Amino acid sequence: GSCHHTTTSICRCLYLPRHSCSHTTRYKTHFDMVEWKLAVTAAVLTIFSSTTPSCQAHPFLPSNIGSTINTFYKENPFKGAFLTCSIKGCSADMVAQFIASKREHREEEDRRMQELEDHPFHTMVKKATRGGELSSELEGRHKFNIDWSRSLVFILYGGLYQGMAQEFIYNRVLPILGTGTDMKTVARKVAVDMGFISPLICIPTAYIIKGFLIGNTFVQSLANYVDDVVNKGLVFKNWSIFVPVQCITFSIIPEHFRVSFVAFILFFLMIILSS
């Protein structure tokens, strides 16, 4: 009963109101939103069905998908961590590359339009382009080319560190502090993770990777990290996000899904890091 109610509530997020619009792009946007919501809903239902044995199979999900995924992550923790986090790292970087490409294209478009404004015959140019033909022409020239060497860096960083290394830390090292999910054990794990692992290993590694991509040396990357810690409160900002996240990770999320859960949160932060 409760499982059916939860599944129904999740599926309601697929509803999109109709808007009357004569532009095809509006309908395309709605279609893209539906695709994203379907993907997110399918992922949630898969995890939910794999961690809730009493839940009956959902009508549009094959009954064995959840158990297959659950078994794979249990029996192959390091492979699952590498696969999940490498895909996440690559996907986040591609999103960041696309955003940066669109931003550069808009800046180039604005620069060219400004050149036309400064032209001696700018009035004639304005009349000639009043219908937005030049803007449309410039927009049509935008091409997105993936930097595969950069994406490879994030595949390896995501798979090796955020995947396999974090799997080792979460499920091999931190259990030394306790294997239960009681409040004291969770507090000890979160304290060690946030007080030592994150500020001394996790975040500096991210700065080094980003520095490598933009051409900074190892020393410059660490200097940028120290500057952000001292002057921008980086560690405190990290705590504001990941203290509650890690409390959930070590108390509610099953061991074999902990890395995947953190990867989901880190997906959005990786977009920021990558760009």
Side-chain angles (χ1 to χ4, degrees):
S2 61
C3 172
H4 177 73
H5 175 73
T6 304
T7 304
T8 304
S9 299
I10 294 172
C11 290
R12 283 176 184 165
C13 74
L14 295 176
Y15 172 74
L16 282 174
R18 295 172 179 262
H19 295 282
S20 59
C21 180
S22 58
H23 300 289
T24 308
T25 55
R26 182 73 60 86
Y27 293 113
K28 184 178 183 301
T29 302
H30 288 173
F31 181 72
D32 292 341
M33 290 174 66
V34 170
E35 283 188 328
W36 274 103
K37 290 189 174 185
L38 281 171
V40 172
T41 303
V44 171
L45 287 171
T46 299
I47 295 175
F48 185 69
S49 62
S50 66
T51 56
T52 311
S54 61
C55 181
Q56 294 180 351
H58 196 274
F60 59 82
L61 278 180
S63 59
N64 63 338
I65 286 183
S67 60
T68 300
I69 293 175
N70 192 46
T71 301
F72 173 78
Y73 277 86
K74 272 187 175 181
E75 296 181 352
N76 306 277
F78 288 98
K79 288 181 181 178
F82 183 89
L83 182 64
T84 300
C85 293
S86 60
I87 292 174
K88 179 265 301 179
C90 181
S91 301
D93 178 60
M94 287 186 178
V95 172
Q97 286 191 47
F98 179 77
I99 293 172
S101 176
K102 289 290 288 184
R103 182 172 61 245
E104 290 172 2
H105 176 69
R106 284 196 301 268
E107 290 173 355
E108 175 65 16
E109 183 180 3
D110 292 341
R111 184 188 64 79
R112 295 185 65 179
M113 291 299 292
Q114 185 60 44
E115 288 178 355
L116 290 176
E117 290 286 337
D118 296 337
H119 195 277
F121 303 103
H122 67 277
T123 304
M124 297 175 60
V125 171
K126 282 184 180 180
K127 289 180 180 179
T129 62
R130 184 167 295 168
E133 292 143 3
L134 180 59
S135 178
S136 299
E137 180 186 346
L138 289 172
E139 274 188 33
R141 293 176 185 171
H142 174 248
K143 291 183 179 180
F144 173 51
N145 296 316
I146 298 174
D147 184 347
W148 289 108
S149 60
R150 168 175 152 157
S151 295
L152 178 61
V153 172
F154 278 92
I155 289 174
L156 295 176
Y157 169 64
L160 295 176
Y161 176 73
Q162 292 186 331
M164 298 178 72
Q166 291 289 67
E167 170 67 28
F168 180 78
I169 292 170
Y170 286 174
N171 297 325
R172 301 297 188 278
V173 176
L174 291 181
I176 296 173
L177 302 173
T179 57
T181 56
D182 57 282
M183 187 178 298
K184 288 184 179 180
T185 302
V186 171
R188 285 196 295 267
K189 291 181 178 180
V190 172
V192 171
D193 188 28
M194 293 291 99
F196 296 96
I197 297 173
S198 183
L200 298 180
I201 301 176
C202 181
I203 305 178
T205 302
Y207 270 74
I208 292 169
I209 294 297
K210 182 174 182 179
F212 172 77
L213 291 173
I214 63 178
N216 287 348
T217 64
F218 178 82
V219 175
Q220 287 174 327
S221 300
L222 288 184
N224 290 338
Y225 168 64
V226 172
D227 180 68
D228 284 351
V229 169
V230 174
N231 299 317
K232 298 182 180 179
L234 176 65
V235 172
F236 295 103
K237 292 177 182 178
N238 181 66
W239 287 349
S240 68
I241 297 172
F242 280 100
V243 166
V245 167
Q246 296 299 61
C247 285
I248 296 173
T249 300
F250 295 120
S251 62
I252 299 175
I253 307 299
E255 276 190 11
H256 52 290
F257 283 131
R258 285 175 180 172
V259 170
S260 300
F261 172 71
V262 175
F264 175 77
I265 305 298
L266 281 172
F267 174 81
F268 303 100
L269 296 182
M270 282 283 286
I271 294 175
I272 298 172
L273 168 66
S274 182
S275 57

